[in-house]
Amino acid sequence: MAESKGSGQKVGIIGSGLIGRSFAMIFAGAGYQVTLFDILEKQTTDALKDIKQQFTKLEGNGLLKGTLSAEKQYSLITVSQDLKDCVKGATFIQECVPENLELKKQIFAQLDEFASDEVTLSSSTSCIPISKFSENLKHCIQCIVSHPVYPPYYVPLIEVVPAPWTDKSITDKTMAMWDEVGQAPILIKKEIEGFALNRIQYAIIAECWRLVQEGVVSPQDADKVMTCGLGRRYAFIGVFETMHLNAPNGFGQYLESYAKGMHKIASEMGPAPTYDGPTAQLIHNEMCKTIPMDQLQEKREWRDERLIALAKVKKEKGDKY
């Protein structure tokens, strides 16, 4: 990560749930003053407690972002139940409220009222183009999407998605800022629902669903295809890089060998599932056997520990992200 430029600058985080907390930690790690907003005082109190515990754990594992101590980073985060106070003086606002169009319209209308002409107004929306809730705002040219992968502290990808009217300087600054704080931004060049990550993710989910529905594999074995197969290499190299490496003479030869078969199989894939009915119940029952409901939090912690371990390996190997 490049040397932090956040010292003295303020970032406002709207929503103190899991995504908002993670973003607060990322910005504090880069030296930004962070104000974490939520309408409920208990929510922000719980958020601060959780953030402090996470900082301590990360420092102990040698995976704390930035050069500041966990104590110093924690001291950079304050909370507020006053949206105007959160926005005041901020150079960047990251909205992290639930994925609900009407709620986002409401929040951005309020942000528009308090925003300066310089602040970037960014949304964590995972599927909704920002043009659907920024078009009529006076600060619409300052609005952009910064969609993370959960949990963003451990999974660095950020999809940056401008609206057709977003000023190019806002897009450029947003891309540069995410890179500066240690995330891995990609630019979505035009608005499309689901952006890139979820369109790719939903394609995988859809085919896994069809394979289970058609009795080809069990839900557990579909998951094993990812954990013991595709996911192992995709943690280090991408789809097209994999193709390029999997033929002696690279990508072109891969297509010569496999393009017809790939097209045939893709053409035979069924229609988009509706994700209900007997298959939904079957997968739910099997997942509850694999991870009982009373063990979900324990398994989430298990997942995060392994993401930490993966991050440590990549760091030791000199990977940027």
Side-chain angles (χ1 to χ4, degrees), residues 127-141:
C127 289
I128 306 170
I130 199 163
S131 59
K132 291 194 173 183
F133 53 94
S134 69
E135 182 174 8
N136 298 317
L137 304 181
K138 61 184 178 182
H139 294 101
C140 64
I141 64 171

Side-chain angles (χ1 to χ4, degrees), residues 23 92-97 99 104 108 121-126 128 130 133 143-148 159 195:
F23 273 138
F92 189 87
I93 299 291
Q94 183 69 25
E95 167 267 307
C96 305
V97 303
E99 190 76 349
K104 290 186 185 293
F108 267 76
L121 301 175
S122 177
S123 174
S124 296
T125 177
S126 58
I128 306 170
I130 199 163
F133 53 94
C143 296
I144 199 163
V145 167
S146 297
H147 171 232
E159 294 182 292
F195 315 137

Side-chain angles (χ1 to χ4, degrees), residues 79-121:
V79 297
S80 177
Q81 281 77 56
D82 184 335
L83 186 62
K84 185 176 182 179
D85 173 67
C86 181
V87 174
K88 184 179 180 181
T91 58
F92 189 87
I93 299 291
Q94 183 69 25
E95 167 267 307
C96 305
V97 303
E99 190 76 349
N100 178 287
L101 178 58
E102 292 307 313
L103 178 58
K104 290 186 185 293
K105 284 181 178 180
Q106 177 185 338
I107 292 293
F108 267 76
Q110 294 177 54
L111 292 175
D112 193 42
E113 180 182 350
F114 302 133
S116 69
D117 292 337
E118 291 77 36
V119 65
T120 298
L121 301 175

